[in-house]
Amino acid sequence: MLKKIILLLVLTVFSSSVFSFNNINTVIESLENKTEKKYINELTQKDLTIIPSIKQLASIYIDLADEIQKIDCYQLQKLYKLLLNDEINNIKTIINEQSYLNDIENIECQAPSENTIQYITHKLHEKAITLYTMAIINGDLDSISELVKQGKAERIPTSHFRNLITYLEKHSLDTNHYAMFLMGQLYLNNLVYTDSRLEKARKLFEQIMDIDSQEVLYFIALAKIEETIEKLYFSIDENNHLTPSEQRSDSADDDNIIELIVKMANLNDVPTLLYLSYYYSDTAINQSLTYFNKACIITSSEACNIYADHLKQKPTQQEIYTLLQKFDKKNPDFNTAVAIGKWYENEHKYINAINYYSYATNKDPKLLLKMAELYSKIYRYGYTYIENDIMNYNRINLCYIKYLSYFDDVDIKYAIYLNYQKISQLRYDPEDEQNALFWLEASATDGHKERQYEIAEHYKWGRFSEKNYSKAAYWYNRYCTDNPIKETPDYCQAFTKINSIPHLQENADNGDMEAQYQMGTNLIKYTQLYKIGENYLKKAKDQGHFDAGIELMIYRPLINFSG
């Protein structure tokens, strides 16, 4: 019994060393016998029976890379020399290979340098990827799953996968449908990251429908679902109800056809379920997820495993999938819409947040102010900073204008004016200036004193419009007399006198010469109102009013006024 226990302990202690020893011997023997070259020749002859052996050797390369620190120095030296003189034209996935070689040309049996270890490890990974890719382009779908699993387990650095895709594209292997299936799965699993990785994955899957495997259908549906959920930018007009959207004329017909398919189809048929999942991903993500989950229950797929892994690895991801499965665009639930909006806002995906908040604005119009706030945080790639700012200011104003349909808010009106003012500074468009003036006047009309003064100044100097002294006088009058302020400017005394004469400004603006004279003499005495008073006196003088001319002569030299 004691012997058995001792034997068990010995085996436990040395098992990893034995495993490493077996792997190193297998790899060295393979390199010495040029086994890979033989495999390539057999594949060229379409002998696919060799694929299991190819995959086994690829797996051993990866295992050995994990164990490289345990390898005896003399074996490491031998392995290095064999890799250095390897005749196989591997898929090049190592960056700056020469920098490693410069450091380890004279490898000796001492503690190997970090570069030595890295070079050998990278070469083993490179050879493993080459072997898996050989199997894949010859139609072995299992090799795709195995290679992707190795990447997801971080046994192969992601840099190799980026360079693998570059290699496939450079050598036109990206037209091989099995290689395309591999590329799509690398994008889908985020082993190769680009901003449009999910769109790229979906497009690759859509091009390989002729592969005789149900797996492709699963991956098309999953890529479409994830693309929809992760997409950073939606078409605002079509999705957030701020402006009317134009629906395709055939959309009703399409919906009727799909409803007929749903009624007639056998919903235990996986291809039908996956087709419906794909179709609904754009318009009803809740139904899309329901059909995809049902397909996964009927028949398992690697795509289903990926979907499940994503939910396990990212608890927040599971939250959004659950919420989206509850959300129905045709009959949106307020609480679900707000919860989805908050999720996207926390993820800094502000367009998506705006999109879902918009479904809840009828019950809580204040969400429109939240949407406006989020627009200020958005930057759209592909546009200049000026174009992006103009779009954001316009979208913010759409939110504010809709908010005003629920509440009358003078500060919001003024905020709209400020946004149009900013837009007019970024581009020249008379319509922007007219919009700015409209909303400034709207906030002034509500009695906001600072806005009344501001619009009076606009009309006096001709900002956003031609000079209009009549409107300038009107708004200075409102500024002085609406809700009088504690410290009234001296020039407000002019309007006290003007207002004591009924309809004085109205008569002056209608051409009454005497009224024009009275307006002018009251206003011209004050620097702030000089231009307006001068304008009224000139009109009276032009009609033959003698005293108006005298007033102009008297006050002109006394006023030190520029402009």
Side-chain angles (χ1 to χ4, degrees):
M1 182 65 180
L2 182 60
K3 289 182 179 180
K4 288 184 179 179
I5 293 173
I6 293 171
L7 179 60
L8 179 62
L9 288 172
V10 170
L11 288 173
T12 302
V13 171
F14 291 104
S15 59
S16 60
S17 299
V18 172
F19 186 57
S20 300
F21 181 77
N22 288 338
N23 283 336
I24 184 65
N25 284 344
T26 301
V27 170
I28 287 174
E29 183 181 340
S30 172
L31 292 169
E32 287 177 336
N33 296 335
K34 305 187 187 310
T35 303
E36 288 178 61
K37 192 171 183 178
K38 296 175 184 176
Y39 289 162
I40 292 171
N41 290 335
E42 290 181 45
L43 281 177
T44 304
Q45 301 299 319
K46 300 299 180 184
D47 181 5
L48 303 184
T49 60
I50 202 65
I51 285 179
S53 300
I54 290 174
K55 293 193 294 184
Q56 183 181 17
L57 182 57
S59 179
I60 290 172
Y61 281 139
I62 295 171
D63 290 339
L64 183 60
D66 288 344
E67 305 157 5
I68 202 70
Q69 299 279 5
K70 304 172 186 176
I71 303 301
D72 173 81
C73 180
Y74 292 100
Q75 287 184 309
L76 199 65
Q77 184 182 39
K78 187 173 185 179
L79 177 60
Y80 163 69
K81 290 179 179 178
L82 286 168
L83 289 171
L84 191 64
N85 298 307
D86 186 23
E87 296 177 1
I88 298 298
N89 185 21
N90 293 307
I91 294 174
K92 298 298 180 185
T93 62
I94 303 176
I95 302 173
N96 299 326
E97 181 173 338
Q98 190 59 42
S99 66
Y100 292 110
L101 295 177
N102 291 340
D103 185 61
I104 60 177
E105 282 179 350
N106 299 312
I107 183 172
E108 297 179 359
C109 266
Q110 54 188 1
S113 70
E114 185 64 27
N115 265 13
T116 304
I117 299 298
Q118 285 188 15
Y119 173 76
I120 294 174
T121 301
H122 286 345
K123 290 300 288 185
L124 291 170
H125 287 147
E126 188 179 79
K127 294 183 77 61
I129 287 174
T130 299
L131 288 171
Y132 274 127
T133 305
M134 286 165 53
I136 290 165
I137 62 178
N138 280 279
D140 187 62
L141 295 178
D142 290 339
S143 290
I144 298 177
S145 299
E146 290 179 28
L147 182 55
V148 168
K149 284 177 182 176
Q150 302 284 15
K152 289 171 68 176
E154 299 182 355
R155 299 188 71 196
I156 300 176
T158 55
S159 60
H160 286 286
F161 294 114
R162 288 196 300 271
N163 296 323
L164 170 60
I165 284 186
T166 301
Y167 179 92
L168 292 172
E169 291 173 343
K170 183 178 178 181
H171 292 80
S172 300
L173 290 172
D174 55 330
T175 58
N176 176 288
H177 283 196
Y178 295 97
M180 291 167 72
F181 200 9
L182 167 64
M183 291 166 67
Q185 291 196 42
L186 293 177
Y187 284 127
L188 183 65
N189 285 281
N190 206 16
L191 292 172
V192 178
Y193 180 81
T194 68
D195 287 336
S196 56
R197 65 182 181 84
L198 293 170
E199 180 185 4
K200 286 186 175 182
R202 190 249 312 157
K203 287 182 176 179
L204 284 164
F205 295 147
E206 287 175 347
Q207 295 177 62
I208 58 175
M209 293 284 289
D210 59 336
I211 290 182
D212 187 20
S213 172
Q214 200 164 260
E215 278 289 285
V216 176
L217 298 178
Y218 276 100
F219 276 97
I220 292 174
L222 179 59
K224 185 67 174 173
I225 288 170
E226 298 222 345
E227 181 188 3
T228 300
I229 293 173
E230 292 292 327
K231 192 182 293 180
L232 292 174
Y233 301 118
F234 286 87
S235 171
I236 305 306
D237 286 348
E238 292 180 358
N239 287 283
N240 73 13
H241 325 305
L242 293 179
T243 57
S245 61
E246 294 183 8
Q247 295 188 350
R248 293 182 297 112
S249 59
D250 61 344
S251 61
D253 291 337
D254 286 350
D255 289 342
N256 290 336
I257 292 170
I258 293 298
E259 286 179 13
L260 186 62
I261 291 174
V262 171
K263 289 178 182 177
M264 295 179 62
N266 175 6
L267 292 185
N268 287 319
D269 177 61
V270 169
T272 300
L273 290 168
L274 294 172
Y275 170 77
L276 291 170
S277 174
Y278 177 88
Y279 175 83
Y280 278 116
S281 57
D282 277 329
T283 57
I285 193 68
N286 59 320
Q287 293 185 56
S288 177
L289 286 166
T290 298
Y291 286 125
F292 183 79
N293 284 325
K294 188 167 184 179
C296 288
I297 291 170
I298 295 170
T299 306
S300 183
S301 158
E302 188 58 33
C304 301
N305 296 335
I306 292 170
Y307 172 70
D309 287 344
H310 284 184
L311 298 186
K312 289 177 184 176
Q313 293 166 9
K314 300 178 182 178
T316 57
Q317 195 85 349
Q318 185 169 10
E319 179 186 355
I320 190 61
Y321 275 67
T322 303
L323 288 169
L324 289 171
Q325 200 160 350
K326 295 178 183 177
F327 184 76
D328 183 355
K329 286 184 179 181
K330 293 181 180 179
N331 186 26
D333 174 72
F334 170 81
N335 292 326
T336 305
V338 172
I340 295 172
K342 285 181 179 178
W343 188 92
Y344 276 120
E345 183 182 352
N346 292 336
E347 293 291 313
H348 307 294
K349 296 178 180 178
Y350 300 123
I351 290 279
N352 296 43
I354 290 166
N355 181 45
Y356 282 96
Y357 281 142
S358 70
Y359 285 100
T361 56
N362 288 338
K363 288 190 176 181
D364 184 4
K366 290 184 179 179
L367 284 171
L368 289 159
L369 302 183
K370 165 63 74 175
M371 291 161 61
E373 175 193 337
L374 296 181
Y375 271 122
S376 66
K377 300 179 180 181
I378 291 169
Y379 179 75
R380 298 171 182 80
Y381 294 98
Y383 294 92
T384 66
Y385 284 103
I386 290 177
E387 290 171 334
N388 187 71
D389 286 347
I390 289 171
M391 281 189 281
N392 283 348
Y393 290 137
N394 276 320
R395 296 302 180 191
I396 290 169
N397 281 348
L398 284 174
C399 293
Y400 285 156
I401 290 168
K402 187 165 184 181
Y403 178 79
L404 290 173
S405 68
Y406 295 95
F407 306 105
D408 188 23
D409 189 319
V410 64
D411 291 328
I412 294 297
K413 292 176 183 178
Y414 186 66
I416 297 172
Y417 151 71
L418 289 176
N419 285 335
Y420 277 123
Q421 186 183 48
K422 292 171 185 174
I423 292 171
S424 70
Q425 293 168 352
L426 295 172
R427 70 180 181 192
Y428 175 71
D429 187 337
E431 187 176 346
D432 294 328
E433 296 180 345
Q434 290 302 310
N435 285 332
L437 193 61
F438 173 85
W439 287 103
L440 178 59
E441 192 159 349
S443 63
T445 301
D446 286 348
H448 199 295
K449 296 198 72 62
E450 286 80 3
R451 310 308 165 233
Q452 291 171 342
Y453 176 82
E454 192 170 350
I455 197 167
E457 287 284 290
H458 275 286
Y459 280 124
K460 183 173 74 175
W461 297 112
R463 299 167 187 161
F464 299 147
S465 68
E466 293 183 0
K467 294 177 183 179
N468 190 320
Y469 293 118
S470 173
K471 287 188 176 182
Y474 170 81
W475 284 110
Y476 275 122
N477 195 345
R478 290 281 303 269
Y479 170 72
C480 289
T481 56
D482 283 8
N483 304 311
I485 54 179
K486 292 180 180 179
E487 297 181 6
T488 304
D490 289 345
Y491 61 78
C492 285
Q493 297 174 35
F495 293 104
T496 301
K497 293 179 182 179
I498 288 170
N499 293 337
S500 68
I501 304 171
H503 309 295
L504 180 62
Q505 181 174 351
E506 181 182 349
N507 293 334
D509 291 341
N510 287 331
D512 185 311
M513 179 176 65
E514 185 59 31
Q516 291 168 344
Y517 171 73
Q518 291 293 332
M519 286 287 293
T521 55
N522 280 295
L523 299 173
I524 201 169
K525 300 172 185 178
Y526 301 96
T527 302
Q528 188 79 16
L529 307 176
Y530 176 83
K531 282 290 186 181
I532 304 170
E534 180 188 46
N535 179 66
Y536 278 112
L537 288 172
K538 281 182 178 180
K539 287 182 177 180
K541 178 188 173 186
D542 290 344
Q543 292 192 75
H545 198 295
F546 179 79
D547 289 343
I550 298 296
E551 291 288 316
L552 285 169
M553 292 175 63
I554 291 172
Y555 282 100
R556 184 179 295 277
L558 297 179
I559 301 293
N560 181 17
F561 188 84
S562 61

